[in-house]
């Protein structure tokens, strides 16, 4: 049997087994209590309970949000509920406790060193039980749950975890005893009674009561007692002749005499549950426990000599005293002391106490562990006195002496017992003698101390950044507040009072300054002049703050006493920005919290209220908890500035709101969203929760500024796309919604989509009914086809099957599984289900809800349904033997489940395998004919031949030189998307349509289309931008994108989150900066890359000019780009589409290239552009004067791969030879033309130049190029590469100019509370006179800084933390692609995860002395290779969410491909492997040996000699079998 190691674990286990719902209350955001880990473990494993067969619902709440309010909803639904909590929740919950006591709730309280809270709520109506050891905790928890069920009363079980910390583990109690005591089946009907009451603050009259049956003799019969709960109490007497069976409570819980079952029952009497009933019931429970285990329990426990003269009654932690009394020597005076402890604290039974005390006891010391006394006599002392001193005879009652128990160390317990004994037996004992220290020693840690959660410091850091010395936070935790507790000082009432006092203090300070300005007490006259200037400026905030530092400086130099006196309050020279900071706990009672007082006062006070409730938990936060919307509350006052912000939603909006709040004359409320469950939540988790809440309208971003009305501006500014219905209603009342829609009519549709207004089930029904209506009147058998698809293959297959079915006379319906109303399934005649495989054998997103419903619904009768299933998967996707179950798992599971529910197979399941010669089509071509045969339509004649599927080549040739219907699609406001064919064409224009994958699930659940947005990629030759271009890019990202910029691995800018309505404006903004996006993507030559090379400016200029020349030479010639994106609405000089225009593409032709085409230039010895990884790689060669002479030409490099498809592979470029610089653009053209005419246009996975060269051979390819050139390549010139990473820090070139290469992790330029990077670079761009060079490793070089400008630039870099290069060599050498949430191809995280992974490896690097060593590590979310992972020494390529293929052995110089080492591994295994390899590398490497070379030398991995051998000799072979 399993062992239990702590009291918290024992309680958590029993509570889990005995409840429908468990509320676990955190003591603090960064700390867990003793119950947390076990409950999390049970919930994660979905362990079954005794009450909840599938396991109870476990909800985590915070202690400061009135958490016991959440108990009412499940209790009123008839559910059994338990709570695990620290004792701090009790006092705040007093208003609810008296009502909760009338429900069968069990609250397990972990007490610290003070039992005050328990004694304070002892009269709340709850039953109180106490345990001391682990074994007692387990048994008393069982008792508590049984008692709650049997009496219908609430039970509080309290214990001190420290008391049993040293106990040995115990055996977990078996389910048999629990089953017998809880008797869940017998109590099921009672538990499920519904309570219609909804009042929280009004007593609805509910009382726990019992019904007793009386016989014809008029006597009550105990075995016929029936517990009735959930009803207001009424005395009732029901006449009748029925016979009542055994009670719900059972005879074991009743001590009354039993009668035979033949007794005739004539009436039922209902009465309240009494203390005697409770005492009888708990004694019966303990009798049953004793019978089963041999352990006995009583209301009061006595231990010690049976003839003791003195006894110690201890209310508190008993462990130290029990140990000391057990070990006492006969010579110790207290050795004969008896010890009395309470097991049943309430209801208190004086008679049971008297029975427990031996008659010989004449003196009792009552020792109470109650620190916060509110009366002279302790509550337990009064209980004992009342029990023993009141009665018919008090002559023989013992002397009772009260003591207060303070903090006692183990070493002083003996001394404490001796003192208690001496005082007790003295002639005049001292009452209320304190034993131990009243104050807690600093060596004893608090269970929970008030502190600001670390994650919430994001907002306070922003306040510090904006206001600096001007910031005054009235309730700052670390402030010194004499005589005020930290809890009190942190609340808004105290903060508001403090601010009012501060305002008054400044008024007096201004008067002091005015007097000082005419005083003669200064050493010099200088301070007087500055003080006078400052005094005159009062009322002009900006002027006050400008003068304040100067005044302080002059006073500091004066040295007089008056100057020193003024400097004591020097912060008052600033016109302070005054703030009170709090949490959403203030939203539960605005009056008591002080929020109302601040708003109603009209005072110029700012409040920052941080709401940390995750949106995904909103269902758990039931409505009756009455959390107020402080924003709406304040807006209704009309005098307050209100902003709803989210730092992970819009950093810029947070800045704007805080600045506007500071400028507003009156109260300001900033609602700041920061959703998290605990301090351990990652920034990625918080970001995803924020995005969901903002996108769906749960947390709209807005600003409400009443001061704007006087300026003729709208008071309301919406900074997100959607609002929730409550806010919308307010705006309608205020008539500002209409104004907003007039100003922004395109937002109208979004604003009308109120939060929660989408009804998914109704949409499903309408869609299905529309199909049925459309098919009415058609002949043929019905066929419903459902699909679940992630990448479109299953969807396309389903639609094609539907078309073919119609051609055979069938009435076909094609729907996504999640769009299908499940209630129709039993009535289907024929149904076909097609599903692909996602993640680790999971259903695709648009089929998960359907599958979960089918899986969990055991009542579906599908006996009349005939079905067929086709599954798409990859038998090599999960290569390890134990993972083979994931191959086509969704389809197999669905087939098995439908058959189990009674469905009949039309044909056997079909399995499509990407490893087959024609991928999934091989299996499908065998399965489909069997389906038609089963349906009897296999021999239909006259079926027309299907047109071939439309390919990218068809789209290009029909596009009229890249026009398509893009212009029309941009005007369509009914959707955020564009047509599928246009999505292919817009790539040529430099933009991809994407959707936010963080929001897919929630938007799907709300019945909304995906959050479509566009990525825009600029074309930036060689990665060089001017400062003005940088500023324009910064502005575009803030105005039209997601407020960030991505510096890509192709040396250009990339913007994400640009919605369709802003797309054209963003394109125009880019062109306004003399930049373009044409051919940044698509089947054309893309951005030409060039080494950043800061140390050789003249040589870089030569090479950069060549990169521009090549780029411009190979640009497409179509005018479609200008027509669609740049012309004004009234520009009729050019006609879009039609045949009126016939463009020419002299280089590309109407179908352009078979696939993308990439060119890069590297300047030895730095291969920072990964010259081997591109279709054309140019290696710059210097002449004798150090200027550019020509290039060695590489061809056929490429990174794109498909997982487990060995026909695809990465390849390094092959050497063609040398060409002169003036000819290189023509050479690039001819290479591209050979690829244009010979590349594979049928299979895009085989269309890159690398496959063309491998198919025809390097020599033949070279000869074709030379034939077009008219001359041959020269022999390649010698060169050498030494690295392919960036050289960070300051460097000086041969012209004396300075260059600073800064680290931009994974190329993401953004502002955060800790690092205002974007702001810093913007400010630098305003003064910089040189260039911004984007590096191919996603970093940034501030180039061309003159010596005169160097100090200023260095100061700005330091101010904005951009000069920080103190990172590990591994981090500095890392790179990642975007991946989630925007990339539609991503299978796993990349940019957002790689920094976390490196952080987890850096301790290992430190331990092994490798912190400064450069190891090239790259990560991508899919195998397309945007971050060029196949050349890294260590690479991780996403396989599924959280799972990666690991590759080792790439060349440090970028010259050698790596090879698969492990497939589909997750973080734990990654860390284990890396830590072992790093340790070996530190101890076994040769001098100067690089990591990639090392793992090959020691035999960990085989070298990859060329692309065609990439899949050979891998460390983890992928088996051929299923």
């Amino acid at each position: 049997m399993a062992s239990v190691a702590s009291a918290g674990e024992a309680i958590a286990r029993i509570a889990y087994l005995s409840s429908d719902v468990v509320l676990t209350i955190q003591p603090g955001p960064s700390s867990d209590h003793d119950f947390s880990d076990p409950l999390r473990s049970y919930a994660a494993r979905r362990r079954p309970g005794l009450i909840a067969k599938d396991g109870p619902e476990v909800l985590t709440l915070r202690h400061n949000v009135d958490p016991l309010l959440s108990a009412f909803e499940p209790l009123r639904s008839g559910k059994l509920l338990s709570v695990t909590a620290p004792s701090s929740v009790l006092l705040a919950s007093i208003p609810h406790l008296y009502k909760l006591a009338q429900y069968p709730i069990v609250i397990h309280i972990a007490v610290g060193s003070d039992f005050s809270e328990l004694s304070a709520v002892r009269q709340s109506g709850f039953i109180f039980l106490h345990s001391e050891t682990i074994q007692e905790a387990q048994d008393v928890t069982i008792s508590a749950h049984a008692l709650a069920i049997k009496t219908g009363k609430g039970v509080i079980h309290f214990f001190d975890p420290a008391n049993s910390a040293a106990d040995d583990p115990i055996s977990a109690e078996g389910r048999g005893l629990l089953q017998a005591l809880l008797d869940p089946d017998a109590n099921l009907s009672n538990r499920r009674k519904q309570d219609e009451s909804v009042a929280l603050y009004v007593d609805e009259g509910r009382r726990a009561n019992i019904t007793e049956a009386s016989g014809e003799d008029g006597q009550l019969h105990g075995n016929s007692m029936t517990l009735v709960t959930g009803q207001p109490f009424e005395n009732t007497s029901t006449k009748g002749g029925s016979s009542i069976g055994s009670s719900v409570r059972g005879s074991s819980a009743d001590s009354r005499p039993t009668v035979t079952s033949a007794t005739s029952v004539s009436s039922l009497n209902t009465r309240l549950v009494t203390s005697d009933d409770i005492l009888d019931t708990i004694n019966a429970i303990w009798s049953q426990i004793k019978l089963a285990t041999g352990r006995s329990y009583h209301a009061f426990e006595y231990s010690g000599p049976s003839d003791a003269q003195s006894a110690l009654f201890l209310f508190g932690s008993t462990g130290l005293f029990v140990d000391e009394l057990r070990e006492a020597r006969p010579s110790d005076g207290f050795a004969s002391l008896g010890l009395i402890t309470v097991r049943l604290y309430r209801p208190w039974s004086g008679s049971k106490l008297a029975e427990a005390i031996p008659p010989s006891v004449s003196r009792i010391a009552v020792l109470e562990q109650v620190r916060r006394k509110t009366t002279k006599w302790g509550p337990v002392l009064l209980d004992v006195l009342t029990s023993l001193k009141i009665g018919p005879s008090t002559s023989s009652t013992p002397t009772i002496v009260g003591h207060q128990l303070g903090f006692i160390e183990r070493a002083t317990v003996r001394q404490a017992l001796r003192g208690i004994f001496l005082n007790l037996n003295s002639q005049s004992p001292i009452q209320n003698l304190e034993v131990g220290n009243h104050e807690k020693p600093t060596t004893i840690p608090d269970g929970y101390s008030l502190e600001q959660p670390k994650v919430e410091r994001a907002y306070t850091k922003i306040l510090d950044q904006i206001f600096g010395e001007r910031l005054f936070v009235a309730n700052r935790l670390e402030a010194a507040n004499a005589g005020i507790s930290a809890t009190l000082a942190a609340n808004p009432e105290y903060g508001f009072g403090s601010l009012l006092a501060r305002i008054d203090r400044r008024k007096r300070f201004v008067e002091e300054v005015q007097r000082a300005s005419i005083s003669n007490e200064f050493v010099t006259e200088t301070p007087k002049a500055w003080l006078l200037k400052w005094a005159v400026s009062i009322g002009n905030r900006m002027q006050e703050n400008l003068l304040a530092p100067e005044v302080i400086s002059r006073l500091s130099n004066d040295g007089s006493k008056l100057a020193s006196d003024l400097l004591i309050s020097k912060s008052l020279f600033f016109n302070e920005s005054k703030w009170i900071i709090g949490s959403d706990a203030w939203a539960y009672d605005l009056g008591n919290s002080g929020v109302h007082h601040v708003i109603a006062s009209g005072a110029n006070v700012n409040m920052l209220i941080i709401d940390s409730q995750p949106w995904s938990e909103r269902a758990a936060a039931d409505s009756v908890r009455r959390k107020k919307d402080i924003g709406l509350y304040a807006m209704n006052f009309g005098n307050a500035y209100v902003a709803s912000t989210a730092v992970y939603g819009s950093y810029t909006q947070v800045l704007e709101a805080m600045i506007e709040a500071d400028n507003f004359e009156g109260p300001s409320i900033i609602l700041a969203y920061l959703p998290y469950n605990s301090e351990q939540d990652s920034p990625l988790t918080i970001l995803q929760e924020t995005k969901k809440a903002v996108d769906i309208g749960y947390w709209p971003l807005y600003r409400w500024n009443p001061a704007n009305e006087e300026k003729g501006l709208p008071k309301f500014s919406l900074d997100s796309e959607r609002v929730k219905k409550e806010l919308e209603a307010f705006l309608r009342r205020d008539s500002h919604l209409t104004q907003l829609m007039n100003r922004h009519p395109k937002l109208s549709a979004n604003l009308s989509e109120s939060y929660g207004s989408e009804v998914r089930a109704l949409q499903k029904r309408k869609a299905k009914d529309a199909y049925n209506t459309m098919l009415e009147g058609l002949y043929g058998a019905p066929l419903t086809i459902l699909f679940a698809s992630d990448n479109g293959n299953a969807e396309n297959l389903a639609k094609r099957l539907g078309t073919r079915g119609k051609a055979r006379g069938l009435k076909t319906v094609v729907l996504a599984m999640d769009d299908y109303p499940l209630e129709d399934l039993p009535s289907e005649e024929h149904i076909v289900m097609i599903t692909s495989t996602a993640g680790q054998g999971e259903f695709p997103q648009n089929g998960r809800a359907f599958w979960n419903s089918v899986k969990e619904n055991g009542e579906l009768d599908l006996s009349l349904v005939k079905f067929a299933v086709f599954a798409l998967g990859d038998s090599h996707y999960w290569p390890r033997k134990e993972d083979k179950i994931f191959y086509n798992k969704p389809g197999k599971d669905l087939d098995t489940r439908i058959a189990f529910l009674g469905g009949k197979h039309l044909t056997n399941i079909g399995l499509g395998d990407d490893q087959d010669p024609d991928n999934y089509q091989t299996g499908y071509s065998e399965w489909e004919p069997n389906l038609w045969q089963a349906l009897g339509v296999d021999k239909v004649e006259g079926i027309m031949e299907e047109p071939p599927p439309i390919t990218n080549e068809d789209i290009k040739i029909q596009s009229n030189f890249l026009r398509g219907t893009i212009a029309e699609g941009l005007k369509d406001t009914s959707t955020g998307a564009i047509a599928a064919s246009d999505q292919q064409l817009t790539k040529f224009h430099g933009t991809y349509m994407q959707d936010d994958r963080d929001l897919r699930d929630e938007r799907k659940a709300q019945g909304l289309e995906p959050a479509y947005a566009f990525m825009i990629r600029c074309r930036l030759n060689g990665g060089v931008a001017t400062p003005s271009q940088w500023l324009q890019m910064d502005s575009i990202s803030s105005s039209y994108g997601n407020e960030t910029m991505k510096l890509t691995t192709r040396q250009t800018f990339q913007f994400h989150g640009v919605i369709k309505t802003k797309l054209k404006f963003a394109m125009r903004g880019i062109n306004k900066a003399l930049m373009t996006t044409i051919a940044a993507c698509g089947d054309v030559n893309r951005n030409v890359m060039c080494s950043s090379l800061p140390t050789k400016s003249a040589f870089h200029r030569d090479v950069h000019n060549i990169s521009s020349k090549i780029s411009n030479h190979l640009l497409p010639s179509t005018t479609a780009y200008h027509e669609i994106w740049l012309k004004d609405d009234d520009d009729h000089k050019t006609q879009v589409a039609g045949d009126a225009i016939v463009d020419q593409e002299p280089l590309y032709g109407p179908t352009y290239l078979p696939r993308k085409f990439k060119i890069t230039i590297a300047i030895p010895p730095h291969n920072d552009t990964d010259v081997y990884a591109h279709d054309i790689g140019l290696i710059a060669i210097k002449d004798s004067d150090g200027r550019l002479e020509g290039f060695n030409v590489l061809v056929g490099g490429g990174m794109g791969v498909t997982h487990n498809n060995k026909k695809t592979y990465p390849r390094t470029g092959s050497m063609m030879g040398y060409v002169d610089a003036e000819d290189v653009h023509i050479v690039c053209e001819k290479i591209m033309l050979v690829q244009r005419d010979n590349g594979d246009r049928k299979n895009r996975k085989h269309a890159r130049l690398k496959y063309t060269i491998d198919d025809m051979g390097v020599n033949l390819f070279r000869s074709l190029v030379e034939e077009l050139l008219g001359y041959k390549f020269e022999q390649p010139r010698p060169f050498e590469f030494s690295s392919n990473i960036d050289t960070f820090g300051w460097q000086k070139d041969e012209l004396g100019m300075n260059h600073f290469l800064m680290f931009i992790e994974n190329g993401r330029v953004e502002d955060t509370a800790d690092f205002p990077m974007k702001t810093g670079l913007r400010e630098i761009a305003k003064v910089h006179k040189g260039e911004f060079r984007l590096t191919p490793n996603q970093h940034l070089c501030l180039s061309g800084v003159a010596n005169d400008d160097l100090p200023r630039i260095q100061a700005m870099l330091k101010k904005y933390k951009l000069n920080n290069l103190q990172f590990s060599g591994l981090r500095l050498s890392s790179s990642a692609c975007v991946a989630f949430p925007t990339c539609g191809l991503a299978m796993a995280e990349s940019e957002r995860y790689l920094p976390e992974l490196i952080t987890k490896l850096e301790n290992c690097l430190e331990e092994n002395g490798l912190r400064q060593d450069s190891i090239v590590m790259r990560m991508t979310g899919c195998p397309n290779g945007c971050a060029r992972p196949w050349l890294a020494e260590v690479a991780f390529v996403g396989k599924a969410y959280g799972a990666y293929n690991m590759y080792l052995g790439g060349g440090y110089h970028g010259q050698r491909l790596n090879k698969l080492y492990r497939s589909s591994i997750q973080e734990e295994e990654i860390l284990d492997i890396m830590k072992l390899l790093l340790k070996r590398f530190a101890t076994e490497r040769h001098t100067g040996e690089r990591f990639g070379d090392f793992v090959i030398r020691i035999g960990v991995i085989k070298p990859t000699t060329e692309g065609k051998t990439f899949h050979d000799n891998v460390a983890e072979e992928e088996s051929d079998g299923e």
Side-chain angles (χ1 to χ4, degrees), residues 367-443:
L367 193 58
E368 298 181 68
Q369 197 168 332
V370 177
R371 303 278 149 69
R372 293 188 289 252
K373 291 182 62 176
T374 55
T375 60
K376 180 179 180 180
W377 308 106
V380 178
L381 175 64
L382 294 175
D383 285 335
V384 175
L385 283 169
T386 302
S387 300
L388 300 181
K389 290 289 186 181
I390 297 176
S393 174
T394 58
S395 57
S396 60
T397 55
T399 300
I400 300 172
V401 181
H403 297 75
Q404 186 177 348
L405 177 60
F407 295 96
I408 296 182
E409 301 283 353
R410 179 172 290 276
T412 62
V413 176
R414 177 179 293 272
Q415 180 181 346
L417 280 170
R418 187 179 296 117
I420 294 169
F421 184 77
L422 291 174
N423 182 56
L424 179 63
N425 287 284
S426 66
Q427 289 186 350
S428 301
I430 302 172
Q431 288 286 355
N432 284 332
L433 179 67
E434 186 165 359
V435 179
N437 297 317
H438 184 73
E439 297 298 327
K440 189 173 189 177
T442 56
T443 55

Side-chain angles (χ1 to χ4, degrees), residues 1320-1350:
L1321 290 171
R1322 180 171 60 248
E1323 295 305 311
I1324 288 172
K1326 292 176 181 178
V1327 300
H1328 182 43
K1329 301 170 185 174
E1331 298 171 335
F1332 286 88
R1333 296 183 189 175
L1334 283 62
T1335 81
N1337 289 311
Q1338 302 176 293
H1339 306 302
L1340 182 64
C1341 182
L1342 200 63
S1343 184
V1345 180
N1347 289 332
D1348 291 344
D1349 299 324
L1350 191 58

Side-chain angles (χ1 to χ4, degrees), residues 797-816:
L797 210 55
K799 290 178 178 177
R800 191 176 76 183
L801 184 66
T803 301
R804 291 179 176 180
K806 288 178 183 176
R808 285 169 166 77
L810 300 174
K811 294 192 292 187
T812 59
V813 175
V814 182
L815 290 170

Side-chain angles (χ1 to χ4, degrees), residues 947-968:
I950 296 175
T951 66
N952 282 62
E953 296 302 308
D954 298 324
I955 293 172
K956 286 185 283 187
I957 201 167
Q958 295 169 13
S959 71
N960 190 9
F961 296 95
L962 307 182
R963 289 174 173 81
T965 58
I966 297 173
E968 292 84 351

